[in-house]
Amino acid sequence: MMQKYSHEELNQILLSKKLNDFYVATIENREDILTDEEYEKIVKKGITFCCDDKDEVESLINTARNKAQEFSNDFASNLMQVVYSFSQIRYCAILTMIDEDVYDIGNNEFVDLKRNKVIHFDNLTTLYDESNARVRYFEPEEEPQITKRTVLIDVDDESIFLKYEKDHVNQEESDDLTSAFFTEVKGKPYTYKKN
C-alpha cells in the first residue's frame, strides 16, 4: 500500500475520528494450510517421471537432490519464516478506515487485506463508550514500544479488550467476513475485491 500521508497527518486524521469509527477485529492470514493428504503426498514424493532414458532419470534425481541441499542451506536461517508461511496466524486489532484503506491503529500500519481477512469484528463501542475510552496522543515516555508521538485508543479497563481478544483469536470458525466488515464500515452494501 502506498503511503499517502505523513505520520503527523495520519495522527491528525485518527484524532479527528469518533470512537464509533473504530472496530475491534480478529485478522487471519489467507494462506491455506496443507491438508494431511497433500502433506503425505509431498513426504512420500509421489511424483512420476515420464522418461525412457535411465541415465536421464538418474541425472534428474541427482540434480533435484543437489538443489534440495542448496535450498535447505539457504533457508536454514529463515526456518521460522517458512514455518509461518504454512501456518494459520491470527491477531486482534483495532481498525478504522482511512480513505479506502484499512488502518490498524495499535500497530500503526495499513492492513493488507489481499494477504489477510477479517474473521470477526465489532464496533469498538460495543465494548467501550466515551466514558471509559478515548482516542488520544501517546508519548514515547508513556509507552516504551512507540518511538514518536502516536495516536492510540486509551481505555480505562484493558481486561475487557483482553477477554475479547482471547475469545475471538481462539474461535473455531474462520469465515471470511471482510466484505461484511466493509459494508458495516461504509454503511452501505459493499463487495470487497481481493484482486
Side-chain angles (χ1 to χ4, degrees), residues 15-144:
L15 208 57
S16 69
K17 286 177 173 282
K18 296 178 181 174
L19 203 63
N20 64 2
D21 290 326
F22 295 90
Y23 291 78
V24 185
T26 308
I27 310 295
E28 180 180 289
N29 63 327
R30 289 186 182 278
E31 301 297 325
D32 292 328
I33 299 171
L34 289 175
T35 65
D36 290 344
E37 293 79 13
E38 289 169 330
Y39 180 71
E40 286 298 321
K41 185 175 179 183
I42 290 169
V43 170
K44 292 179 179 172
K45 300 178 180 69
I47 299 163
T48 304
F49 285 102
C50 297
C51 184
D52 295 330
D53 188 345
K54 182 183 172 196
D55 292 335
E56 188 178 340
V57 170
E58 287 180 359
S59 174
L60 284 170
I61 290 170
N62 287 333
T63 300
R65 202 174 276 138
N66 291 338
K67 290 291 181 192
Q69 184 64 43
E70 288 173 24
F71 179 83
S72 175
N73 291 341
D74 289 344
F75 280 86
S77 62
N78 296 322
L79 183 58
M80 288 308 292
Q81 182 180 347
V82 174
V83 169
Y84 281 133
S85 73
F86 291 105
S87 299
Q88 196 172 42
I89 310 297
R90 287 181 181 171
Y91 68 96
C92 201
I94 297 176
L95 306 178
T96 193
M97 293 293 291
I98 295 181
D99 294 334
E100 293 298 307
D101 297 318
V102 178
Y103 189 77
D104 176 350
I105 188 171
N107 290 312
N108 304 115
E109 64 185 15
F110 288 94
V111 179
D112 182 356
L113 290 172
K114 290 180 182 169
R115 294 195 50 76
N116 299 283
K117 60 187 176 183
V118 176
I119 64 167
H120 192 279
F121 67 93
D122 282 296
N123 192 279
L124 186 62
T125 55
T126 62
L127 301 177
Y128 299 100
D129 59 35
E130 302 293 340
S131 70
N132 59 5
R134 64 217 58 81
V135 186
R136 75 171 184 87
Y137 274 117
F138 275 81
E139 304 290 343
E141 300 80 41
E142 296 173 87
E143 295 290 331

